[in-house]
Amino acid sequence: MSSPPPPHDPRSTPSLTPAEVEAVARAAHAGQTDKAGRPYAEHLEAVAAGVRRRGGDDEQIAAAWLHDAVEDDALSARWLDEAALSRRTKDIVLALTRRPGEAPEAYAARILSTPGAALVKEADLAHNADPARLAVLDAATRTRLTEKYTRMRALLGLADPGV
C-alpha cells in the first residue's frame, strides 16, 4: 500500500488533483469492507458520483472521496489539516466526521452550518439507503439502518428519496 502524498506546504499553491484525492482515499480505505462485505471504495465512488449528479463541484467531490477517512481513522486529522486541499473541502470533511457520543441533532446542525456539506451528506445517505445495498443485510440491521438514515434525512430537511 502506498502512503498518502506529503503534507501541503502552505507557501505553495498546488492542490491535489481529483485523481490524486481518489487515489489517496482508495489507498486509505484499502482492505476495508462495508456492512455487506463489499470493498469500501465502492461506497466512496458512489458518493462522489452522487455528488457529481447533484451538481456538486470539485471541492465537494473531493470531500465525498474523503468523507469517512478521518472518522474511520483511515487518515488522521493532522493529515487532513496539512493536505493540499481547499479549506472548504477540509471543512466539509470535518463537518461529516462524527464525533464520539455526538447526538444526531448536533451532527446535523454542523452539516447544515458548513457550506457544501449537506449535498455530500445527501449523496452519502442516498447510497447508504440504496435498497439493493440494504437487501443483503439481515432484517434487524436493515430496519435499524433504514430508521437511522430516515431520521438523519429529516434532521437535514431532505425530501424522502422516493419522492
Side-chain angles (χ1 to χ4, degrees):
M1 176 165 112
S2 63
S3 60
H8 180 55
D9 179 347
R11 295 168 297 184
S12 65
T13 55
S15 186
L16 291 173
T17 67
E20 289 170 330
V21 172
E22 177 182 344
V24 166
R26 286 181 181 280
H29 290 278
Q32 292 180 344
T33 57
D34 67 10
K35 291 173 185 67
R38 301 292 308 157
Y40 202 77
E42 289 180 5
H43 171 64
L44 303 176
E45 184 173 18
V47 174
V51 167
R52 190 175 297 108
R53 275 193 311 277
R54 288 169 174 78
D57 59 31
D58 286 347
E59 291 175 323
Q60 290 168 301
I61 293 168
W65 278 105
L66 298 170
H67 78 276
D68 283 334
V70 176
E71 181 177 319
D72 292 350
D73 291 323
L75 294 171
S76 70
R78 180 176 178 180
W79 179 90
L80 181 66
D81 184 53
E82 295 176 355
L85 297 165
S86 72
R87 180 74 257 160
R88 182 168 170 252
T89 294
K90 293 175 186 186
D91 288 346
I92 292 170
V93 172
L94 292 173
L96 297 174
T97 301
R98 283 187 174 274
R99 297 170 184 162
E102 182 174 38
E105 296 81 3
Y107 179 59
R110 186 174 61 251
I111 291 168
L112 290 170
S113 70
T114 304
L119 184 127
V120 179
K121 187 61 181 177
E122 181 180 12
D124 179 41
L125 287 168
H127 188 248
N128 283 337
D130 180 332
R133 266 186 106 204
L134 291 172
V136 301
L137 304 175
D138 64 84
T141 301
R142 187 170 49 249
T143 299
R144 179 181 59 81
L145 292 176
T146 298
E147 290 171 359
K148 174 183 168 181
Y149 303 146
T150 299
R151 180 166 185 228
M152 185 54 58
R153 289 187 70 80
L155 289 170
L156 294 172
L158 299 172
D160 182 331
V163 174

